[in-house]
Amino acid sequence: MFKKTALAAALGAVALVGASQAQAADYVVDTEGQHAFVQFKINHLGYSYILGNFESFTGQFHYDPENLEASSVEMEVDVTSLNTNHAERDRHFLSDDFLSAGNYPTATFVTSGFEPTGDNEGTLTGELTLKGETREIEMPVTLMGEGEDPWGGYRAGFEGSTMLTLADFGIDMSALPEVMHQLELYVTLEGVRQ
């Protein structure tokens, strides 16, 4: 699932876009306030979907509305924090059959470029590392908004999604229907300006 699209951000990740009132700044992803999410959706046998998320991750991004190409994102995801609201299934996903979380407990995403594609939109390119495999992915992202918060800070928020081919990361889905060989990664990041 990694041609020009893929899992980011973590995993990783992620976003940077659009003209606005912001100034060039570094932001820390607001995980304490639960204003950021790394989620996924995978088809289940062609009948429904399995929805899940990673509950523990950290990240930061640099956003400059006057120089979008200089934008960057770094994310680190605790793979063992996977949650699909079904404990037995989660254990199976984390096992050596799929994610091998005991050997590869962390996924990372680091940008290598950003290309604006329209007002408040662009494509983030970067390297996603999952289960010890690193692949370049592309993720279309959108600036959701930015501005002062009620606590005297300044925030910016982005969302993006991409499709990942699991075999690209050494996750063997060959015994399962083809509709389960890819998953959609969806990331929402709200960052607090430092």
Side-chain angles (χ1 to χ4, degrees):
M1 147 172 225
F2 268 95
K3 298 174 183 170
K4 287 192 171 181
T5 56
L7 174 86
L11 344 28
V14 199
L16 296 158
V17 195
S20 65
Q21 327 145 320
Q23 54 187 296
D26 294 318
Y27 292 76
V28 171
V29 175
D30 182 11
T31 56
E32 289 184 24
Q34 292 298 308
H35 297 125
F37 303 90
V38 177
Q39 301 172 313
F40 62 89
K41 178 171 83 170
I42 186 168
N43 196 299
H44 183 248
L45 304 174
Y47 308 131
S48 183
Y49 292 98
I50 297 170
L51 303 177
N53 65 289
F54 294 94
E55 297 182 342
S56 179
F57 57 91
T58 59
Q60 56 272 329
F61 58 87
H62 177 80
Y63 170 54
D64 182 355
E66 302 302 322
N67 183 16
L68 292 174
E69 289 81 2
S71 298
S72 63
V73 177
E74 292 184 16
M75 296 286 296
E76 184 172 293
V77 176
D78 178 359
V79 174
T80 67
S81 71
L82 177 143
N83 181 4
T84 67
N85 292 315
H86 189 285
E88 184 177 347
R89 177 174 57 214
D90 293 349
R91 284 192 294 274
H92 192 201
F93 280 176
L94 293 171
S95 76
D96 289 344
D97 288 345
F98 295 104
L99 292 171
S100 298
N103 296 316
Y104 306 102
T106 304
T108 60
F109 176 79
V110 179
T111 52
S112 57
F114 178 79
E115 181 181 350
T117 57
D119 289 345
N120 298 326
E121 296 179 342
T123 300
L124 194 64
T125 304
E127 291 192 338
L128 173 65
T129 300
L130 176 66
K131 198 182 175 184
E133 301 284 343
T134 300
R135 297 287 184 270
E136 183 176 86
I137 67 167
E138 289 186 357
M139 178 181 284
V141 295
T142 302
L143 172 67
M144 298 177 67
E146 62 180 304
E148 296 179 359
D149 64 28
W151 308 281
Y154 193 93
R155 294 171 181 258
F158 300 87
E159 68 175 342
S161 68
T162 192
M163 296 296 293
L164 299 179
T165 298
L166 296 173
D168 289 344
F169 297 94
I171 301 171
D172 182 9
M173 304 293 279
S174 59
L176 296 169
E178 191 172 339
V179 293
M180 299 186 72
H181 294 188
Q182 293 187 320
L183 66 73
E184 179 183 2
L185 177 69
Y186 173 71
V187 179
T188 306
L189 298 181
E190 180 178 307
V192 180
R193 189 165 69 191
Q194 299 305 289

